[in-house]
């Protein structure tokens, strides 16, 4: 039986090649993502191990609750460095003063785009030879005072800087413009990958910028030869001031870094694994269809085996052995293709995130075993049902006919099961009608409901094929007798038609549903970004530790073309157990820059001790205009409660946050006293231009810590997430289309082989070659249309019913149909049918009438 299985695989290799390709795609994404994760992890660890190569123990400050900014560095001074140098086993102590330094390129644009994360800043620590071994100089010299800086070569190249240029950067305050005096190389993996920048200062300047004069952010200790780092760590810990500093071994730092790397690389695996899951899920139906047709075509052969003594178990094993051989071939090809995926994947992910460290591909046993297990497992599992059908073939019945029609009982059972699944899925989705929040429970219910609905459509597909194709197949009558034959051939075996269309149905349902969510989300984010905003420009900070100084606000107001410059101080407000956002504004200018819709009262009445609140805040705290609310502004909850009078209630919008307060009240208790985080700018006649944007950026000192964005730029920034979702949509569409095309080619090719005599008769009675090709092509388009129709129905219904959850998260969310994308999906699906039929149609047209009629 095993030899028979091998001969069958070799005999039907042309028919099984499509199945191999379908499984190969899924295996490729799985193996590629695993190899990519292993390679990225190894590259990260290699870069970090270089950083820790010369470190035995690292001493860092220990933050205590209540410490003021910089106070945590109080124990990290020269006295501690001398004490650590005297510890037995310590060879040297390298003090550090590092933090975040955000750079602007030579043309004035921030080098981190819209990311809130800044680059790295550190002190250049020369050794006895006058050079810092951690940052070897490649050109120029080390910085000596506040007016000088050194950059790593990658940062300088990316920013367009050369030695002698003035570098624009900011740490946490005014813009600094030191002169570039040196270029260095670094072993920092993130910097080498281009993911961050590196600026180096002399130690005194670095201490003023990042810690405090005479204080360090950490100390790295090297050990004398033969000293155990763990024992050295214990000796170092004994001399550290209690509760002010702690010692960590290099191994401990590496372990922490490994945890970080594992978490980071795991997020990179999700997208390719999603594609793999979709590929394998859709490919499963192709496998089932292929083996079902093979079993049906080999009915007499199986009957002969049964007649000469083969048991049902042996028949099952024979079919499963064929599937296992196909799975092995698909796994090997998929793994090889996965190496290509792993090579390309870093470049794909770098387009929307932090650049990744480079390194050689790492092929671990997990990737190899997973590829083999998934490829063989999915193929054997998909072939299990056809193998059971093969085993149920009775020898005498199979010798009479090669294919038995499905029984009426089986059809009724299928219909009942499919109907139950569809009703359950629809019921679960309708149960979300009253839900207005995207909680984990609601999201799980939505996903489960959509999955059950799709399963119901899959089971019902053979029963729906007949009625649907009869209705829409009337369009084929315009092609005359060829169209009628195509429709009848499609209706001849509803199970085969449904199995062929299911792959296209699943991909269409996924793509159409995600496309609707993407379109609706894009429109909602666009509306949300501009909701309540009358300003033409928004100047904002990149982090909560950064502020716009009052002098910059005045300079912005004096820029030619600016009508209004309204400063906004952002903080938090606690009222009872709830902590909300509060925006401190100027009541004289707020209505000119914020387009608020007031339900009662007005922000013009804002003043000391007065608030305007959003409708949701008023509802949650049961307050109305004229009432008082006890609240505390700024860090802490309830320790500075004061009574505030509500002077207005406005419709919720993101520009005004949850509460509007008098700016002086918010600044008094804010995170950064007497500071503002946003400046809303209204221009004369709504003018927006590149020149005006440059003047605004110059007015705030060209600080890379600040963003200057027009309203249109805000909308595009909000649409970034939707853009990534659209990329995923088209990726899934490409996978679904490809596998669906493979399935149609396979099914039509086998169908042509089964209908050799029938096609020969048609040729003999006068149908020319073009008529045969047209008939096969129309069959494929009819099947594609059926799968597309079911997929659109399921995908659009699921997206419609879950729209309420998104509406709770984004008030502006509404159900919107992406007509262009849906039209593209329909046209592409029909084109798949036409293209997939090309080879089978050509083969059918090439049949000789006499040979076809004579074939037994």
């Amino acid at each position: 039986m095993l030899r028979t299985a091998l001969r069958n695989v070799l005999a039907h290799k042309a028919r099984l090649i499509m199945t191999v390709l379908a499984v190969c795609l899924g295996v490729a994404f799985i193996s590629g993502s695993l190899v990519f994760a292993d390679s990225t992890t190894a590259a990260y660890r290699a870069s970090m191990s270089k950083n820790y190569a010369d470190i035995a123990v690292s001493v860092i400050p220990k933050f205590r609750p209540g410490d003021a900014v910089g106070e945590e560095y109080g124990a990290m001074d020269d006295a501690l460095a001398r004490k650590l140098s005297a510890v037995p086993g310590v060879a040297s102590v390298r003090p550090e003063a590092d933090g975040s330094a955000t750079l602007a390129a030579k043309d004035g644009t921030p080098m981190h785009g819209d990311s809130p994360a800044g680059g790295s800043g550190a002190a250049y620590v020369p050794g006895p030879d006058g050079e810092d071994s951690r940052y070897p100089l490649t050109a120029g010299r080390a910085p000596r005072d506040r007016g000088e800086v050194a950059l790593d070569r990658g940062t300088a190249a990316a920013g367009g800087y050369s030695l002698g240029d003035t570098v624009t950067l900011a740490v946490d305050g005014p813009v600094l413009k030191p002169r570039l005096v040196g270029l260095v190389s670094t072993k920092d993996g993130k910097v080498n990958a281009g993911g961050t920048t590196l600026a180096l200062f002399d130690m005194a300047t670095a201490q003023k910028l990042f810690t405090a004069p005479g204080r360090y952010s950490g100390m790295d200790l090297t050990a004398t030869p033969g000293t155990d780092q763990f024992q050295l760590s214990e000796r170092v810990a004994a001399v550290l001031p209690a509760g002010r500093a702690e010692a960590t071994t290099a191994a401990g730092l590496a372990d922490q870094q490994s945890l970080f790397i594992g978490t980071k690389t795991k997020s990179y695996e999700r997208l390719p694994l999603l594609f793999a899951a979709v590929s394998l899920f859709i490919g499963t139906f192709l496998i089932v269809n292929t083996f079902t047709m093979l079993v049906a075509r080999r009915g007499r052969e199986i009957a002969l085996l049964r007649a000469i003594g083969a048991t049902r178990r042996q028949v099952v094993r024979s079919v499963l052995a064929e599937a296992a051989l196909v799975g092995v071939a698909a796994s090997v090809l998929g793994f090889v293709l996965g190496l290509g995926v792993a090579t390309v994947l870093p470049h794909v992910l770098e387009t929307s995130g932090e650049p990744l460290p480079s390194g050689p591909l790492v092929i671990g046993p997990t990737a190899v075993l997973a590829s083999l297990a998934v490829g063989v497992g999915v193929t054997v599992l998909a072939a299990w049902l056809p193998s059971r059908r093969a085993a149920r073939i009775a020898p005498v019945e199979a010798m009479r006919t090669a294919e038995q029609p499905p029984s009426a009982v089986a059809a009724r059972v299928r219909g009942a099961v499919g109907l139950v699944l569809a009703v359950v899925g629809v019921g679960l989705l309708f149960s979300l009608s009253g839900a207005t929040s995207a909680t984990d429970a609601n999201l799980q219910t939505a996903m489960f409901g959509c999955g059950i609905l799709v399963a119901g459509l899959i089971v019902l597909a053979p029963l729906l094929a007949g009625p649907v194709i009869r209705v829409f197949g009337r369009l084929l009558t315009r092609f005359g007798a060829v169209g009628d034959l195509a429709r009848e051939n499609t209706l001849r075996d509803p199970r085969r038609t449904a199995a062929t269309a299911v792959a296209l149905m699943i991909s269409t349902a996924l793509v159409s549903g995600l496309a609707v969510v993407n379109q609706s989300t894009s429109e909602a984010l666009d509306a949300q970004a501009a909701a309540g905003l009358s300003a033409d420009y928004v100047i904002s900070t990149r982090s909560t530790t950064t502020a716009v100084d009052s002098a910059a606000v005045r300079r912005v107001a004096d820029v030619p073309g600016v009508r209004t410059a309204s400063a906004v101080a952002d903080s938090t407000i606690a009222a009872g157990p709830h902590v909300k956002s509060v925006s401190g504004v100027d009541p004289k200018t707020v209505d000119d820059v914020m387009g608020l819709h007031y339900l009662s009262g007005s922000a013009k009445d804002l003043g000391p001790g007065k608030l305007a609140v959003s409708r949701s805040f008023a509802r949650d705290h049961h307050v109305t205009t004229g009432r008082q609310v006890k609240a505390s502004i700024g860090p802490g909850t309830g320790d500075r409660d004061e009574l505030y009078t509500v002077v207005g209630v406005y419709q919720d919008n993101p520009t005004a946050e949850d509460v509007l307060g008098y700016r002086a009240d918010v600044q008094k208790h804010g995170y950064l006293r007497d500071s503002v985080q946003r400046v809303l700018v209204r221009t004369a006649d709504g003018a927006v231009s590149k020149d005006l944007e440059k003047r605004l950026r110059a007015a705030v000192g060209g600080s890379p810590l600040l963003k200057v964005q027009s309203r249109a730029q805000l909308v595009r920034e909000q649409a970034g997430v939707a853009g990534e979702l659209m990329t995923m949509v088209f990726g899934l569409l490409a996978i679904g289309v490809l596998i669906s095309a493979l399935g149609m080619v396979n099914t039509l090719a086998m169908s042509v082989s089964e209908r050799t005599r029938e096609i020969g008769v048609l040729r003999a009675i006068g149908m020319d070659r073009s008529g045969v090709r047209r008939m096969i092509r129309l069959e494929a388009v009819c099947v594609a249309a059926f799968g597309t129709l079911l997929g659109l129905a399921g995908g659009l219904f699921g997206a419609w019913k879950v729209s309420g959850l998104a509406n709770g998260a984004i008030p502006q969310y509404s159900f919107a149909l992406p007509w262009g994308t849906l039209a593209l999906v329909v046209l592409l699906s029909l084109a798949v049918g036409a293209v997939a039929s090309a080879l089978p149609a050509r083969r059918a047209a090439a049949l000789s009438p006499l040979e076809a009629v004579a074939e037994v």
Side-chain angles (χ1 to χ4, degrees):
M1 294 299 291
L2 291 176
R3 286 196 297 270
T4 301
L6 179 60
R7 284 197 296 268
N8 283 329
V9 170
L10 295 177
H12 301 99
K13 56 182 178 294
R15 298 173 184 175
L16 292 173
I17 190 65
M18 303 300 175
T19 301
V20 171
L21 291 176
V23 179
C24 174
L25 286 176
V27 173
F29 282 111
I30 288 179
S31 62
S33 62
L34 293 176
V35 170
F36 163 74
D38 290 342
S39 303
T40 306
T41 301
Y44 266 122
R45 286 177 177 163
S47 64
M48 296 307 167
S49 64
K50 292 178 182 178
N51 289 339
Y52 300 143
D54 299 326
I55 301 175
V57 176
S58 179
V59 176
I60 58 175
K62 200 169 185 179
F63 181 76
R64 299 178 303 177
D67 280 348
V69 177
E71 192 174 325
E72 67 270 25
Y73 302 114
M76 308 291 291
D77 54 16
D78 290 325
L80 179 61
R82 289 192 295 270
K83 188 182 295 185
L84 293 174
S85 299
V87 173
V90 173
S92 65
V93 176
R94 184 187 190 278
E96 292 185 324
D98 53 23
S100 175
T102 305
L103 277 71
K106 195 172 183 179
D107 61 3
T109 58
M111 293 187 66
H112 291 274
D114 294 323
S115 171
S120 298
Y124 186 90
V125 185
D129 58 355
E131 292 197 9
D132 190 339
S133 59
R134 182 170 296 184
Y135 304 113
L137 280 166
T138 60
R141 59 175 176 81
R144 296 171 182 169
D145 54 44
R146 185 179 179 86
E148 297 179 345
V149 68
L151 302 178
D152 79 278
R153 291 176 301 178
T155 299
Y161 289 115
S162 301
L163 288 177
D165 288 341
T166 298
V167 178
T168 301
L169 60 90
V171 174
D172 187 11
V175 175
L176 304 177
K177 293 184 179 292
R179 185 168 61 93
L180 180 60
V181 298
L183 299 178
V184 303
S185 61
T186 175
K187 298 176 182 179
D188 190 324
K190 293 182 180 180
V191 175
N192 288 331
T196 187
T197 58
L198 174 63
L200 299 175
F201 308 88
D202 67 285
M203 178 58 76
T205 301
Q207 288 177 326
K208 291 178 182 178
L209 294 176
F210 305 126
T211 56
R215 299 292 186 266
Y216 303 107
S217 60
M219 298 180 187
D220 291 335
L221 281 58
T222 58
T224 56
T227 302
D228 180 77
Q229 62 178 256
F230 295 99
Q231 295 178 353
L232 181 60
S233 175
E234 293 177 356
R235 292 197 291 267
V236 167
V239 303
L240 293 178
R244 304 301 304 275
E246 58 183 342
T248 306
T249 63
L253 293 174
D255 290 341
Q256 294 174 10
Q257 192 65 44
S258 296
L259 181 62
F260 166 77
I261 292 169
T263 304
K264 192 175 186 66
T265 53
K266 184 172 287 293
S267 64
Y268 294 141
E269 298 177 31
R270 294 173 183 170
L271 185 61
L273 287 179
L274 173 63
F275 287 163
V278 172
S279 302
L280 292 173
F281 184 63
I282 298 177
T284 298
F285 296 95
L286 192 158
I287 300 169
V288 172
N289 199 25
T290 299
F291 277 93
T292 298
M293 296 178 70
L294 285 175
V295 167
R297 182 159 179 82
R298 288 160 44 199
R300 294 183 180 180
E301 174 191 327
I302 295 172
L304 180 60
L305 292 174
R306 292 292 312 282
I308 61 176
T311 65
R312 291 189 174 186
R313 181 174 297 179
Q314 287 177 313
V315 172
V316 171
R317 289 177 177 175
S318 176
V319 176
L320 294 182
E322 294 178 35
L325 292 173
V326 171
V328 170
S331 299
V332 173
L333 291 176
F335 183 80
V336 174
L337 183 60
L339 297 181
V341 173
T343 303
V344 174
L345 200 55
H347 304 289
V348 175
L349 293 174
E350 283 179 1
T351 60
S352 59
E354 178 184 348
L356 304 172
S358 58
L361 289 181
V362 176
I363 302 175
T366 302
V368 178
L369 295 177
S371 301
L372 189 63
V374 170
V376 176
V378 168
T379 310
V380 171
L381 184 63
W384 180 79
L385 188 59
S387 72
R388 300 290 296 176
R389 291 176 180 171
R392 287 198 299 267
I393 296 177
V396 175
E397 293 176 357
M399 293 296 289
R400 293 173 182 168
T401 177
E403 187 174 358
Q404 296 295 324
S407 65
V409 174
R412 286 195 292 270
V413 171
R414 172 186 284 270
V417 172
L419 186 61
V420 169
L421 290 174
V423 169
V424 171
V426 171
L428 287 173
L429 292 176
F430 268 104
S431 69
L432 299 172
S433 298
T436 57
S437 60
T439 62
D440 290 342
N442 287 338
L443 289 175
Q444 291 174 3
T445 301
M447 295 178 62
F448 188 64
C450 290
I452 294 295
L453 175 59
V454 170
L457 290 176
I458 292 172
V459 177
L460 288 173
L463 303 180
L464 296 174
V468 172
I469 292 177
R470 284 190 181 92
V471 173
F472 290 94
R474 293 176 183 175
L475 297 175
L476 300 180
T477 56
R478 65 183 302 273
F479 295 96
V482 172
D484 292 335
L485 286 171
R487 184 181 64 177
E488 294 304 317
N489 287 334
T490 307
L491 291 171
R492 178 183 300 177
D493 191 341
R495 288 192 303 177
R496 179 183 300 175
T497 298
T500 306
V502 156
L504 196 57
M505 182 200 81
I506 295 171
S507 61
T508 303
L510 279 172
V511 170
S512 61
L514 289 175
V516 169
V517 172
N518 174 77
Q519 179 70 20
S520 303
T521 303
S522 297
E523 294 184 3
L525 290 175
D526 290 354
Q528 185 186 58
L533 182 64
S534 301
D536 301 298
Y537 282 97
V538 176
I539 302 174
S540 58
T541 60
R542 295 179 180 273
S543 67
T544 57
T545 61
T546 308
V548 184
D549 60 77
S550 56
V553 177
R554 290 193 296 271
R555 290 195 300 268
V556 169
D558 293 336
V559 170
V562 172
R563 188 176 81 184
T564 306
S566 182
V568 180
D570 293 321
S571 188
T572 56
I573 182 169
H578 305 287
V579 178
K580 301 290 186 180
S581 299
V582 59
S583 297
V585 298
D586 182 352
K588 296 180 181 180
T589 60
V590 64
D591 286 338
D592 196 30
V593 294
M594 289 187 184
L596 302 179
H597 174 63
Y598 290 96
L599 304 177
S600 62
S602 170
K604 293 180 179 179
D605 297 324
L606 278 175
K610 296 180 180 180
L611 302 173
V613 301
S614 64
R615 184 174 66 173
S616 60
F617 185 95
R619 182 189 62 241
D620 295 341
H621 295 82
H622 309 288
V623 295
T624 58
T625 299
R627 300 286 296 275
Q628 289 187 321
V629 60
K630 183 179 290 187
S632 172
I633 295 177
T637 54
D639 56 343
R640 294 184 308 276
D641 280 348
E642 298 179 21
L643 283 176
Y644 292 91
T645 302
V646 176
V647 298
V649 178
Y650 54 87
Q651 186 70 40
D652 294 51
N653 73 76
T655 302
E657 303 289 356
D658 301 298
V659 177
L660 285 179
Y662 191 57
R663 193 173 68 217
D665 285 349
V666 177
Q667 289 177 320
K668 183 171 57 177
H669 301 299
Y671 289 100
L672 299 174
R673 295 178 63 86
D674 301 324
S675 66
V676 297
Q677 284 69 47
R678 288 182 289 163
V679 181
L680 307 183
V681 180
R682 186 76 178 269
T683 63
D685 302 324
V688 176
S689 67
K690 286 289 185 181
D691 290 338
L692 181 55
E693 181 178 336
K694 288 181 180 179
R695 291 198 297 269
L696 291 174
R697 190 175 294 281
V700 294
S703 174
L705 295 175
L706 301 179
K707 295 189 291 185
V708 179
Q709 297 173 294
S710 66
R711 187 162 36 202
Q713 289 170 332
L714 282 171
V715 170
R716 286 196 297 269
E717 183 181 71
Q718 290 287 344
V721 176
E724 294 178 6
L725 179 60
M726 201 62 194
T727 301
M728 184 178 69
V729 165
F730 284 113
L732 293 174
L733 176 61
I735 292 174
V737 164
L738 179 58
I739 297 180
S740 301
L742 295 176
M744 286 189 181
V745 171
N746 206 27
T747 301
L748 290 172
M750 298 178 76
S751 176
V752 167
S753 178
E754 292 177 356
R755 292 155 49 195
T756 300
R757 298 183 65 185
E758 172 190 325
I759 294 172
V761 170
L762 291 175
R763 291 293 315 282
I765 63 177
M767 181 178 286
D768 57 11
R769 294 178 185 271
S770 62
V772 173
R773 286 195 296 268
R774 191 180 305 114
M775 179 184 68
I776 301 298
R777 190 175 298 115
L778 290 175
E779 289 181 34
V781 172
C782 193
V783 172
F786 171 65
T788 302
L789 180 65
L790 282 189
L792 284 176
L796 295 182
F797 177 78
W800 172 56
K801 291 311 299 176
V802 301
S803 61
L805 301 182
N807 184 261
I810 308 175
Q812 291 81 6
Y813 187 95
S814 62
F815 185 75
L817 293 175
W819 295 108
T821 303
L822 295 179
L824 176 64
V825 170
V826 172
L827 292 176
L828 192 58
S829 299
L830 297 180
V832 165
V835 173
S837 65
L839 187 61
R842 183 177 180 180
R843 179 183 175 187
L847 290 174
S848 169
L850 293 178
E851 293 178 1
V853 173
E855 184 177 295
V856 179

